[in-house]
Amino acid sequence: MINANLRLGVTGTGTSTTWREELARAVRDPAELVRMLDLDPAMIPSAASASRHFRLLVPRGFVRRMRRGDPADPLLRQVLPDTSEGLPQPAGYVNDPLEEKAASRSPGLLVKYRGRALLVTTGACAVHCRYCFRRHFPYPSENPRRREWDASLAAIRADSTLQEIILSGGDPLMLDDATLDRLSSGLAEIPHLRSLRIHSRLPIVLPERIDNGFMCWLESARVPVTMIVHANHPREISEEVKLACNRMRGSVRYLLNQSVLLAGVNDDEDTLVALSESLFDAGVLPYYLHLPDPVAGTAHFAVSVDGGRALVARMRNRLPGYLVPRLVREEPGLPAKAVLA
Ligand SMILES: *Cc1c(COP(=O)(O)O)cnc(C)c1O
Ligand code: SF4
């Protein structure tokens, strides 16, 4: 009943733009972003210069959740190219800290952990997060064309230990619904697969993506879907995001969130508590809180292990257990992500 009402609300206005149109209108010019937020134009040249290496991309709906006139806004900090990205990096900051190239079994198929494999379906995202560990990822070679999925599907079929496939990227919800359907139909033919997991930031940064066509796919998928969205700050959970999450909730097995613990964005107790509470309001439970990977160009986002542990300990004193995420870090060569708290 709730779902039916929401569906009317989303589609019945006749004025809503499609997610493709919203994406086409996304902000790509640092000068425009600075002007939209009434920031000091003196910020433009350095942002434009940093944008050359990994360009600015942010949907307008996400910009509307930022505070005007605040150069330290935590949502802005996640997307505005920053001169710190070009500074000399501490030891250990490298382009491929996760050694993903080594885990690649066929183009785009990463198998690091027992029972589950990560399928890179596209290099595209709806937002460019400055801290992203994929900013240096070799997408031209690891971004499979459709016919190369056949090789990945064959590799999955040949390994009966694989029970779960995780669609990742880039962002798998950048694929259109027909492509998602082809992929999930192929996966559904593999008898040992029990779960399809989607890691996506689109429900947060571009909630228009959760439209009728997508819901049709989700409701008809023959492998049960678990959706893991990615929000880092409570102000990212807008009313539109809550509606999108509510819409998905009845059609997925679990709806979870992963966050990255980022200096100057969410590295304080009140923000993390508010994030968990906002997620709960949206019907989403926190899953992982990742320490940022040591990716070259992102050292200004680093939070120490001890700092992260202390924050999670304080969250635990204020929240029910199910609203406290696990603090994790990815360490190459381990059989799972390292759980730190
Ligand atoms: C993070 C990750 C997973 C998923 O790990 P979970 O602990 O199951 O969430 C799977 N494969 C790869 C390559 C990963 O990086
Ligand atoms: S949406 Fe995800 S993969 Fe894309 S830039 Fe952001 S963190 Fe990276």
PDB file of all heavy atoms in Angstrom, residues 3 6 10 65 173 202-211 214-215 218 227 229 237-252 255 282-284:
ATOM      1  N   ASN A   3       3.933   1.370  -0.890  1.00  0.00           N
ATOM      2  CA  ASN A   3       4.653   1.402  -2.164  1.00  0.00           C
ATOM      3  C   ASN A   3       3.790   1.964  -3.280  1.00  0.00           C
ATOM      4  O   ASN A   3       4.249   2.752  -4.085  1.00  0.00           O
ATOM      5  CB  ASN A   3       5.112  -0.008  -2.539  1.00  0.00           C
ATOM      6  CG  ASN A   3       6.490  -0.302  -1.949  1.00  0.00           C
ATOM      7  OD1 ASN A   3       7.152   0.628  -1.509  1.00  0.00           O
ATOM      8  ND2 ASN A   3       6.875  -1.552  -1.949  1.00  0.00           N
ATOM      9  N   LEU A   6       3.558   5.664  -2.974  1.00  0.00           N
ATOM     10  CA  LEU A   6       4.808   6.335  -3.341  1.00  0.00           C
ATOM     11  C   LEU A   6       4.953   6.365  -4.853  1.00  0.00           C
ATOM     12  O   LEU A   6       5.397   7.339  -5.430  1.00  0.00           O
ATOM     13  CB  LEU A   6       6.004   5.606  -2.723  1.00  0.00           C
ATOM     14  CG  LEU A   6       6.131   5.752  -1.213  1.00  0.00           C
ATOM     15  CD1 LEU A   6       7.292   4.919  -0.722  1.00  0.00           C
ATOM     16  CD2 LEU A   6       6.333   7.211  -0.842  1.00  0.00           C
ATOM     17  N   VAL A  10       5.641   9.572  -7.122  1.00  0.00           N
ATOM     18  CA  VAL A  10       6.836   9.797  -7.939  1.00  0.00           C
ATOM     19  C   VAL A  10       6.473  10.023  -9.396  1.00  0.00           C
ATOM     20  O   VAL A  10       7.062  10.849 -10.078  1.00  0.00           O
ATOM     21  CB  VAL A  10       7.802   8.600  -7.801  1.00  0.00           C
ATOM     22  CG1 VAL A  10       8.961   8.732  -8.785  1.00  0.00           C
ATOM     23  CG2 VAL A  10       8.336   8.534  -6.382  1.00  0.00           C
ATOM     24  N   ARG A  65      21.683  19.999  -1.503  1.00  0.00           N
ATOM     25  CA  ARG A  65      21.773  19.623  -0.080  1.00  0.00           C
ATOM     26  C   ARG A  65      22.990  20.245   0.603  1.00  0.00           C
ATOM     27  O   ARG A  65      23.210  20.031   1.791  1.00  0.00           O
ATOM     28  CB  ARG A  65      21.850  18.089   0.034  1.00  0.00           C
ATOM     29  CG  ARG A  65      20.584  17.405  -0.442  1.00  0.00           C
ATOM     30  CD  ARG A  65      20.731  15.891  -0.521  1.00  0.00           C
ATOM     31  NE  ARG A  65      20.274  15.390  -1.810  1.00  0.00           N
ATOM     32  CZ  ARG A  65      20.541  14.171  -2.302  1.00  0.00           C
ATOM     33  NH1 ARG A  65      21.248  13.325  -1.591  1.00  0.00           N
ATOM     34  NH2 ARG A  65      20.094  13.810  -3.487  1.00  0.00           N
ATOM     35  N   LEU A 173      24.320   0.947 -11.126  1.00  0.00           N
ATOM     36  CA  LEU A 173      23.018   1.518 -11.484  1.00  0.00           C
ATOM     37  C   LEU A 173      23.138   2.561 -12.590  1.00  0.00           C
ATOM     38  O   LEU A 173      22.137   3.140 -13.017  1.00  0.00           O
ATOM     39  CB  LEU A 173      22.293   2.073 -10.258  1.00  0.00           C
ATOM     40  CG  LEU A 173      21.854   1.003  -9.250  1.00  0.00           C
ATOM     41  CD1 LEU A 173      20.824   1.560  -8.278  1.00  0.00           C
ATOM     42  CD2 LEU A 173      21.293  -0.230  -9.938  1.00  0.00           C
ATOM     43  N   LEU A 202      23.991   5.691  -6.400  1.00  0.00           N
ATOM     44  CA  LEU A 202      22.936   6.422  -7.100  1.00  0.00           C
ATOM     45  C   LEU A 202      21.675   6.678  -6.274  1.00  0.00           C
ATOM     46  O   LEU A 202      21.120   7.778  -6.357  1.00  0.00           O
ATOM     47  CB  LEU A 202      22.573   5.751  -8.435  1.00  0.00           C
ATOM     48  CG  LEU A 202      23.309   6.399  -9.615  1.00  0.00           C
ATOM     49  CD1 LEU A 202      24.698   5.846  -9.723  1.00  0.00           C
ATOM     50  CD2 LEU A 202      22.560   6.275 -10.911  1.00  0.00           C
ATOM     51  N   PRO A 203      21.204   5.713  -5.470  1.00  0.00           N
ATOM     52  CA  PRO A 203      19.999   6.029  -4.685  1.00  0.00           C
ATOM     53  C   PRO A 203      20.203   7.251  -3.782  1.00  0.00           C
ATOM     54  O   PRO A 203      19.242   7.920  -3.398  1.00  0.00           O
ATOM     55  CB  PRO A 203      19.774   4.759  -3.857  1.00  0.00           C
ATOM     56  CG  PRO A 203      20.403   3.672  -4.670  1.00  0.00           C
ATOM     57  CD  PRO A 203      21.617   4.308  -5.298  1.00  0.00           C
ATOM     58  N   ILE A 204      21.459   7.556  -3.445  1.00  0.00           N
ATOM     59  CA  ILE A 204      21.757   8.719  -2.596  1.00  0.00           C
ATOM     60  C   ILE A 204      21.952   9.987  -3.440  1.00  0.00           C
ATOM     61  O   ILE A 204      21.335  11.010  -3.174  1.00  0.00           O
ATOM     62  CB  ILE A 204      23.034   8.460  -1.747  1.00  0.00           C
ATOM     63  CG1 ILE A 204      22.895   7.163  -0.941  1.00  0.00           C
ATOM     64  CG2 ILE A 204      23.345   9.663  -0.854  1.00  0.00           C
ATOM     65  CD1 ILE A 204      21.775   7.129   0.066  1.00  0.00           C
ATOM     66  N   VAL A 205      22.787   9.910  -4.448  1.00  0.00           N
ATOM     67  CA  VAL A 205      23.126  11.146  -5.176  1.00  0.00           C
ATOM     68  C   VAL A 205      22.173  11.431  -6.324  1.00  0.00           C
ATOM     69  O   VAL A 205      22.087  12.571  -6.783  1.00  0.00           O
ATOM     70  CB  VAL A 205      24.586  11.143  -5.697  1.00  0.00           C
ATOM     71  CG1 VAL A 205      25.556  11.009  -4.537  1.00  0.00           C
ATOM     72  CG2 VAL A 205      24.818  10.071  -6.736  1.00  0.00           C
ATOM     73  N   LEU A 206      21.463  10.403  -6.795  1.00  0.00           N
ATOM     74  CA  LEU A 206      20.536  10.588  -7.919  1.00  0.00           C
ATOM     75  C   LEU A 206      19.311   9.696  -7.682  1.00  0.00           C
ATOM     76  O   LEU A 206      19.097   8.711  -8.383  1.00  0.00           O
ATOM     77  CB  LEU A 206      21.239  10.205  -9.235  1.00  0.00           C
ATOM     78  CG  LEU A 206      20.636  10.688 -10.537  1.00  0.00           C
ATOM     79  CD1 LEU A 206      20.802  12.204 -10.698  1.00  0.00           C
ATOM     80  CD2 LEU A 206      21.268   9.968 -11.715  1.00  0.00           C
ATOM     81  N   PRO A 207      18.500  10.029  -6.662  1.00  0.00           N
ATOM     82  CA  PRO A 207      17.393   9.123  -6.298  1.00  0.00           C
ATOM     83  C   PRO A 207      16.371   8.951  -7.416  1.00  0.00           C
ATOM     84  O   PRO A 207      15.598   7.991  -7.386  1.00  0.00           O
ATOM     85  CB  PRO A 207      16.780   9.790  -5.054  1.00  0.00           C
ATOM     86  CG  PRO A 207      17.277  11.208  -5.060  1.00  0.00           C
ATOM     87  CD  PRO A 207      18.597  11.193  -5.764  1.00  0.00           C
ATOM     88  N   GLU A 208      16.419   9.844  -8.417  1.00  0.00           N
ATOM     89  CA  GLU A 208      15.538   9.679  -9.588  1.00  0.00           C
ATOM     90  C   GLU A 208      15.762   8.328 -10.268  1.00  0.00           C
ATOM     91  O   GLU A 208      14.895   7.845 -10.998  1.00  0.00           O
ATOM     92  CB  GLU A 208      15.803  10.795 -10.611  1.00  0.00           C
ATOM     93  CG  GLU A 208      15.433  12.195 -10.148  1.00  0.00           C
ATOM     94  CD  GLU A 208      16.530  12.885  -9.320  1.00  0.00           C
ATOM     95  OE1 GLU A 208      17.526  12.218  -8.938  1.00  0.00           O
ATOM     96  OE2 GLU A 208      16.387  14.093  -9.059  1.00  0.00           O
ATOM     97  N   ARG A 209      16.944   7.727 -10.050  1.00  0.00           N
ATOM     98  CA  ARG A 209      17.252   6.440 -10.676  1.00  0.00           C
ATOM     99  C   ARG A 209      16.272   5.351 -10.232  1.00  0.00           C
ATOM    100  O   ARG A 209      16.036   4.384 -10.956  1.00  0.00           O
ATOM    101  CB  ARG A 209      18.705   6.020 -10.314  1.00  0.00           C
ATOM    102  CG  ARG A 209      19.137   4.670 -10.870  1.00  0.00           C
ATOM    103  CD  ARG A 209      19.241   4.718 -12.380  1.00  0.00           C
ATOM    104  NE  ARG A 209      19.500   3.453 -13.025  1.00  0.00           N
ATOM    105  CZ  ARG A 209      18.559   2.612 -13.445  1.00  0.00           C
ATOM    106  NH1 ARG A 209      17.284   2.879 -13.239  1.00  0.00           N
ATOM    107  NH2 ARG A 209      18.885   1.506 -14.072  1.00  0.00           N
ATOM    108  N   ILE A 210      15.723   5.485  -9.024  1.00  0.00           N
ATOM    109  CA  ILE A 210      14.821   4.444  -8.506  1.00  0.00           C
ATOM    110  C   ILE A 210      13.421   4.726  -9.056  1.00  0.00           C
ATOM    111  O   ILE A 210      12.512   5.160  -8.347  1.00  0.00           O
ATOM    112  CB  ILE A 210      14.862   4.409  -6.958  1.00  0.00           C
ATOM    113  CG1 ILE A 210      16.314   4.396  -6.467  1.00  0.00           C
ATOM    114  CG2 ILE A 210      14.111   3.197  -6.414  1.00  0.00           C
ATOM    115  CD1 ILE A 210      17.185   3.288  -7.079  1.00  0.00           C
ATOM    116  N   ASP A 211      13.270   4.509 -10.355  1.00  0.00           N
ATOM    117  CA  ASP A 211      12.023   4.850 -11.047  1.00  0.00           C
ATOM    118  C   ASP A 211      11.211   3.581 -11.333  1.00  0.00           C
ATOM    119  O   ASP A 211      11.575   2.486 -10.886  1.00  0.00           O
ATOM    120  CB  ASP A 211      12.343   5.633 -12.329  1.00  0.00           C
ATOM    121  CG  ASP A 211      13.235   4.834 -13.280  1.00  0.00           C
ATOM    122  OD1 ASP A 211      13.469   3.622 -13.024  1.00  0.00           O
ATOM    123  OD2 ASP A 211      13.700   5.414 -14.278  1.00  0.00           O
ATOM    124  N   PHE A 214      13.161   0.705 -13.035  1.00  0.00           N
ATOM    125  CA  PHE A 214      14.085   0.026 -12.135  1.00  0.00           C
ATOM    126  C   PHE A 214      13.331  -0.866 -11.159  1.00  0.00           C
ATOM    127  O   PHE A 214      13.732  -2.009 -10.888  1.00  0.00           O
ATOM    128  CB  PHE A 214      14.946   1.043 -11.373  1.00  0.00           C
ATOM    129  CG  PHE A 214      15.870   0.379 -10.390  1.00  0.00           C
ATOM    130  CD1 PHE A 214      16.980  -0.313 -10.840  1.00  0.00           C
ATOM    131  CD2 PHE A 214      15.600   0.409  -9.025  1.00  0.00           C
ATOM    132  CE1 PHE A 214      17.818  -0.962  -9.942  1.00  0.00           C
ATOM    133  CE2 PHE A 214      16.427  -0.238  -8.128  1.00  0.00           C
ATOM    134  CZ  PHE A 214      17.542  -0.921  -8.584  1.00  0.00           C
ATOM    135  N   MET A 215      12.200  -0.346 -10.638  1.00  0.00           N
ATOM    136  CA  MET A 215      11.427  -1.145  -9.678  1.00  0.00           C
ATOM    137  C   MET A 215      10.884  -2.413 -10.335  1.00  0.00           C
ATOM    138  O   MET A 215      10.829  -3.466  -9.712  1.00  0.00           O
ATOM    139  CB  MET A 215      10.291  -0.306  -9.076  1.00  0.00           C
ATOM    140  CG  MET A 215      10.757   0.746  -8.093  1.00  0.00           C
ATOM    141  SD  MET A 215      11.802   0.099  -6.752  1.00  0.00           S
ATOM    142  CE  MET A 215      10.678  -1.076  -5.989  1.00  0.00           C
ATOM    143  N   LEU A 218      13.728  -4.792 -10.312  1.00  0.00           N
ATOM    144  CA  LEU A 218      14.009  -5.273  -8.954  1.00  0.00           C
ATOM    145  C   LEU A 218      12.973  -6.311  -8.530  1.00  0.00           C
ATOM    146  O   LEU A 218      13.292  -7.337  -7.938  1.00  0.00           O
ATOM    147  CB  LEU A 218      14.000  -4.072  -8.001  1.00  0.00           C
ATOM    148  CG  LEU A 218      14.643  -4.221  -6.648  1.00  0.00           C
ATOM    149  CD1 LEU A 218      16.096  -4.641  -6.780  1.00  0.00           C
ATOM    150  CD2 LEU A 218      14.555  -2.895  -5.882  1.00  0.00           C
ATOM    151  N   MET A 227      20.695  -4.608  -1.518  1.00  0.00           N
ATOM    152  CA  MET A 227      21.161  -3.307  -1.998  1.00  0.00           C
ATOM    153  C   MET A 227      22.001  -2.645  -0.913  1.00  0.00           C
ATOM    154  O   MET A 227      21.566  -2.520   0.232  1.00  0.00           O
ATOM    155  CB  MET A 227      19.942  -2.441  -2.318  1.00  0.00           C
ATOM    156  CG  MET A 227      20.243  -1.030  -2.754  1.00  0.00           C
ATOM    157  SD  MET A 227      20.959  -0.921  -4.405  1.00  0.00           S
ATOM    158  CE  MET A 227      19.593  -1.502  -5.384  1.00  0.00           C
ATOM    159  N   VAL A 229      23.702   0.872  -0.301  1.00  0.00           N
ATOM    160  CA  VAL A 229      23.875   2.244  -0.777  1.00  0.00           C
ATOM    161  C   VAL A 229      25.087   2.853  -0.077  1.00  0.00           C
ATOM    162  O   VAL A 229      25.732   2.215   0.769  1.00  0.00           O
ATOM    163  CB  VAL A 229      22.588   3.080  -0.556  1.00  0.00           C
ATOM    164  CG1 VAL A 229      21.412   2.446  -1.292  1.00  0.00           C
ATOM    165  CG2 VAL A 229      22.277   3.251   0.921  1.00  0.00           C
ATOM    166  N   ILE A 237      20.846  12.380   3.220  1.00  0.00           N
ATOM    167  CA  ILE A 237      19.572  11.620   3.249  1.00  0.00           C
ATOM    168  C   ILE A 237      18.417  12.614   3.136  1.00  0.00           C
ATOM    169  O   ILE A 237      17.782  12.978   4.125  1.00  0.00           O
ATOM    170  CB  ILE A 237      19.448  10.783   4.542  1.00  0.00           C
ATOM    171  CG1 ILE A 237      20.756  10.059   4.862  1.00  0.00           C
ATOM    172  CG2 ILE A 237      18.291   9.786   4.433  1.00  0.00           C
ATOM    173  CD1 ILE A 237      21.175   9.042   3.846  1.00  0.00           C
ATOM    174  N   SER A 238      18.122  13.059   1.936  1.00  0.00           N
ATOM    175  CA  SER A 238      17.035  14.020   1.697  1.00  0.00           C
ATOM    176  C   SER A 238      15.695  13.287   1.682  1.00  0.00           C
ATOM    177  O   SER A 238      15.649  12.050   1.712  1.00  0.00           O
ATOM    178  CB  SER A 238      17.254  14.714   0.354  1.00  0.00           C
ATOM    179  OG  SER A 238      17.160  13.750  -0.682  1.00  0.00           O
ATOM    180  N   GLU A 239      14.614  14.039   1.584  1.00  0.00           N
ATOM    181  CA  GLU A 239      13.286  13.421   1.489  1.00  0.00           C
ATOM    182  C   GLU A 239      13.204  12.524   0.252  1.00  0.00           C
ATOM    183  O   GLU A 239      12.613  11.440   0.300  1.00  0.00           O
ATOM    184  CB  GLU A 239      12.194  14.493   1.437  1.00  0.00           C
ATOM    185  CG  GLU A 239      11.935  15.167   2.787  1.00  0.00           C
ATOM    186  CD  GLU A 239      11.703  14.151   3.916  1.00  0.00           C
ATOM    187  OE1 GLU A 239      10.878  13.233   3.734  1.00  0.00           O
ATOM    188  OE2 GLU A 239      12.368  14.273   4.971  1.00  0.00           O
ATOM    189  N   GLU A 240      13.788  12.973  -0.855  1.00  0.00           N
ATOM    190  CA  GLU A 240      13.755  12.167  -2.087  1.00  0.00           C
ATOM    191  C   GLU A 240      14.511  10.848  -1.883  1.00  0.00           C
ATOM    192  O   GLU A 240      14.090   9.799  -2.388  1.00  0.00           O
ATOM    193  CB  GLU A 240      14.389  12.937  -3.255  1.00  0.00           C
ATOM    194  CG  GLU A 240      13.594  14.137  -3.751  1.00  0.00           C
ATOM    195  CD  GLU A 240      13.762  15.385  -2.890  1.00  0.00           C
ATOM    196  OE1 GLU A 240      14.579  15.361  -1.928  1.00  0.00           O
ATOM    197  OE2 GLU A 240      13.073  16.381  -3.162  1.00  0.00           O
ATOM    198  N   VAL A 241      15.605  10.919  -1.143  1.00  0.00           N
ATOM    199  CA  VAL A 241      16.374   9.701  -0.871  1.00  0.00           C
ATOM    200  C   VAL A 241      15.547   8.750  -0.004  1.00  0.00           C
ATOM    201  O   VAL A 241      15.500   7.540  -0.236  1.00  0.00           O
ATOM    202  CB  VAL A 241      17.724  10.049  -0.205  1.00  0.00           C
ATOM    203  CG1 VAL A 241      18.425   8.799   0.303  1.00  0.00           C
ATOM    204  CG2 VAL A 241      18.618  10.806  -1.182  1.00  0.00           C
ATOM    205  N   LYS A 242      14.865   9.318   0.998  1.00  0.00           N
ATOM    206  CA  LYS A 242      14.019   8.466   1.858  1.00  0.00           C
ATOM    207  C   LYS A 242      12.941   7.778   1.038  1.00  0.00           C
ATOM    208  O   LYS A 242      12.663   6.583   1.224  1.00  0.00           O
ATOM    209  CB  LYS A 242      13.372   9.309   2.962  1.00  0.00           C
ATOM    210  CG  LYS A 242      14.342   9.643   4.076  1.00  0.00           C
ATOM    211  CD  LYS A 242      13.636  10.340   5.220  1.00  0.00           C
ATOM    212  CE  LYS A 242      14.697  10.829   6.194  1.00  0.00           C
ATOM    213  NZ  LYS A 242      14.277  11.989   6.970  1.00  0.00           N
ATOM    214  N   LEU A 243      12.308   8.527   0.114  1.00  0.00           N
ATOM    215  CA  LEU A 243      11.272   7.931  -0.732  1.00  0.00           C
ATOM    216  C   LEU A 243      11.859   6.808  -1.591  1.00  0.00           C
ATOM    217  O   LEU A 243      11.260   5.735  -1.716  1.00  0.00           O
ATOM    218  CB  LEU A 243      10.653   8.991  -1.648  1.00  0.00           C
ATOM    219  CG  LEU A 243       9.661   9.953  -0.993  1.00  0.00           C
ATOM    220  CD1 LEU A 243       9.274  11.055  -1.974  1.00  0.00           C
ATOM    221  CD2 LEU A 243       8.418   9.213  -0.519  1.00  0.00           C
ATOM    222  N   ALA A 244      13.027   7.072  -2.177  1.00  0.00           N
ATOM    223  CA  ALA A 244      13.653   6.059  -3.042  1.00  0.00           C
ATOM    224  C   ALA A 244      13.968   4.799  -2.232  1.00  0.00           C
ATOM    225  O   ALA A 244      13.716   3.675  -2.689  1.00  0.00           O
ATOM    226  CB  ALA A 244      14.916   6.627  -3.685  1.00  0.00           C
ATOM    227  N   CYS A 245      14.492   4.974  -1.020  1.00  0.00           N
ATOM    228  CA  CYS A 245      14.837   3.810  -0.191  1.00  0.00           C
ATOM    229  C   CYS A 245      13.586   3.063   0.231  1.00  0.00           C
ATOM    230  O   CYS A 245      13.541   1.824   0.198  1.00  0.00           O
ATOM    231  CB  CYS A 245      15.661   4.247   1.016  1.00  0.00           C
ATOM    232  SG  CYS A 245      17.310   4.820   0.569  1.00  0.00           S
ATOM    233  N   ASN A 246      12.556   3.816   0.605  1.00  0.00           N
ATOM    234  CA  ASN A 246      11.295   3.184   0.978  1.00  0.00           C
ATOM    235  C   ASN A 246      10.721   2.366  -0.156  1.00  0.00           C
ATOM    236  O   ASN A 246      10.139   1.304   0.037  1.00  0.00           O
ATOM    237  CB  ASN A 246      10.279   4.260   1.377  1.00  0.00           C
ATOM    238  CG  ASN A 246      10.170   4.345   2.872  1.00  0.00           C
ATOM    239  OD1 ASN A 246       9.935   3.333   3.525  1.00  0.00           O
ATOM    240  ND2 ASN A 246      10.372   5.527   3.410  1.00  0.00           N
ATOM    241  N   ARG A 247      10.857   2.883  -1.345  1.00  0.00           N
ATOM    242  CA  ARG A 247      10.361   2.199  -2.531  1.00  0.00           C
ATOM    243  C   ARG A 247      11.058   0.869  -2.721  1.00  0.00           C
ATOM    244  O   ARG A 247      10.439  -0.132  -3.071  1.00  0.00           O
ATOM    245  CB  ARG A 247      10.659   3.072  -3.746  1.00  0.00           C
ATOM    246  CG  ARG A 247       9.429   3.536  -4.442  1.00  0.00           C
ATOM    247  CD  ARG A 247       9.753   4.167  -5.761  1.00  0.00           C
ATOM    248  NE  ARG A 247       8.742   3.715  -6.683  1.00  0.00           N
ATOM    249  CZ  ARG A 247       8.733   3.970  -7.974  1.00  0.00           C
ATOM    250  NH1 ARG A 247       9.712   4.653  -8.509  1.00  0.00           N
ATOM    251  NH2 ARG A 247       7.764   3.546  -8.723  1.00  0.00           N
ATOM    252  N   MET A 248      12.376   0.858  -2.524  1.00  0.00           N
ATOM    253  CA  MET A 248      13.139  -0.374  -2.766  1.00  0.00           C
ATOM    254  C   MET A 248      12.921  -1.410  -1.685  1.00  0.00           C
ATOM    255  O   MET A 248      13.093  -2.601  -1.902  1.00  0.00           O
ATOM    256  CB  MET A 248      14.646  -0.049  -2.818  1.00  0.00           C
ATOM    257  CG  MET A 248      15.065   0.735  -4.037  1.00  0.00           C
ATOM    258  SD  MET A 248      16.863   0.802  -4.160  1.00  0.00           S
ATOM    259  CE  MET A 248      17.272   1.990  -2.883  1.00  0.00           C
ATOM    260  N   ARG A 249      12.545  -0.929  -0.509  1.00  0.00           N
ATOM    261  CA  ARG A 249      12.634  -1.764   0.680  1.00  0.00           C
ATOM    262  C   ARG A 249      11.851  -3.056   0.608  1.00  0.00           C
ATOM    263  O   ARG A 249      12.332  -4.113   1.019  1.00  0.00           O
ATOM    264  CB  ARG A 249      12.139  -0.942   1.863  1.00  0.00           C
ATOM    265  CG  ARG A 249      12.840  -1.280   3.112  1.00  0.00           C
ATOM    266  CD  ARG A 249      12.459  -0.291   4.136  1.00  0.00           C
ATOM    267  NE  ARG A 249      12.189  -0.967   5.366  1.00  0.00           N
ATOM    268  CZ  ARG A 249      11.559  -0.421   6.372  1.00  0.00           C
ATOM    269  NH1 ARG A 249      11.110   0.813   6.259  1.00  0.00           N
ATOM    270  NH2 ARG A 249      11.373  -1.088   7.465  1.00  0.00           N
ATOM    271  N   GLY A 250      10.643  -3.009   0.035  1.00  0.00           N
ATOM    272  CA  GLY A 250       9.833  -4.224  -0.030  1.00  0.00           C
ATOM    273  C   GLY A 250      10.336  -5.220  -1.064  1.00  0.00           C
ATOM    274  O   GLY A 250       9.880  -6.359  -1.098  1.00  0.00           O
ATOM    275  N   SER A 251      11.248  -4.806  -1.925  1.00  0.00           N
ATOM    276  CA  SER A 251      11.648  -5.664  -3.044  1.00  0.00           C
ATOM    277  C   SER A 251      13.085  -6.146  -2.953  1.00  0.00           C
ATOM    278  O   SER A 251      13.580  -6.782  -3.874  1.00  0.00           O
ATOM    279  CB  SER A 251      11.466  -4.915  -4.367  1.00  0.00           C
ATOM    280  OG  SER A 251      10.162  -4.386  -4.436  1.00  0.00           O
ATOM    281  N   VAL A 252      13.772  -5.799  -1.879  1.00  0.00           N
ATOM    282  CA  VAL A 252      15.136  -6.302  -1.703  1.00  0.00           C
ATOM    283  C   VAL A 252      15.169  -7.161  -0.447  1.00  0.00           C
ATOM    284  O   VAL A 252      14.288  -7.076   0.406  1.00  0.00           O
ATOM    285  CB  VAL A 252      16.174  -5.145  -1.555  1.00  0.00           C
ATOM    286  CG1 VAL A 252      16.296  -4.375  -2.854  1.00  0.00           C
ATOM    287  CG2 VAL A 252      15.828  -4.222  -0.402  1.00  0.00           C
ATOM    288  N   LEU A 255      18.498  -3.885   2.872  1.00  0.00           N
ATOM    289  CA  LEU A 255      18.873  -2.559   2.401  1.00  0.00           C
ATOM    290  C   LEU A 255      19.859  -2.005   3.425  1.00  0.00           C
ATOM    291  O   LEU A 255      19.497  -1.768   4.588  1.00  0.00           O
ATOM    292  CB  LEU A 255      17.610  -1.689   2.303  1.00  0.00           C
ATOM    293  CG  LEU A 255      17.711  -0.302   1.693  1.00  0.00           C
ATOM    294  CD1 LEU A 255      18.388  -0.318   0.338  1.00  0.00           C
ATOM    295  CD2 LEU A 255      16.312   0.300   1.553  1.00  0.00           C
ATOM    296  N   ALA A 282      15.174   6.148   6.926  1.00  0.00           N
ATOM    297  CA  ALA A 282      14.985   5.805   5.515  1.00  0.00           C
ATOM    298  C   ALA A 282      14.834   4.296   5.320  1.00  0.00           C
ATOM    299  O   ALA A 282      14.715   3.824   4.195  1.00  0.00           O
ATOM    300  CB  ALA A 282      16.166   6.323   4.689  1.00  0.00           C
ATOM    301  N   GLY A 283      14.840   3.525   6.416  1.00  0.00           N
ATOM    302  CA  GLY A 283      14.686   2.075   6.305  1.00  0.00           C
ATOM    303  C   GLY A 283      15.971   1.355   5.940  1.00  0.00           C
ATOM    304  O   GLY A 283      15.943   0.253   5.414  1.00  0.00           O
ATOM    305  N   VAL A 284      17.105   1.981   6.222  1.00  0.00           N
ATOM    306  CA  VAL A 284      18.410   1.440   5.837  1.00  0.00           C
ATOM    307  C   VAL A 284      19.230   1.208   7.100  1.00  0.00           C
ATOM    308  O   VAL A 284      19.246   2.054   7.999  1.00  0.00           O
ATOM    309  CB  VAL A 284      19.163   2.455   4.930  1.00  0.00           C
ATOM    310  CG1 VAL A 284      20.481   1.862   4.437  1.00  0.00           C
ATOM    311  CG2 VAL A 284      18.298   2.904   3.760  1.00  0.00           C
TER     312      VAL A 284
END
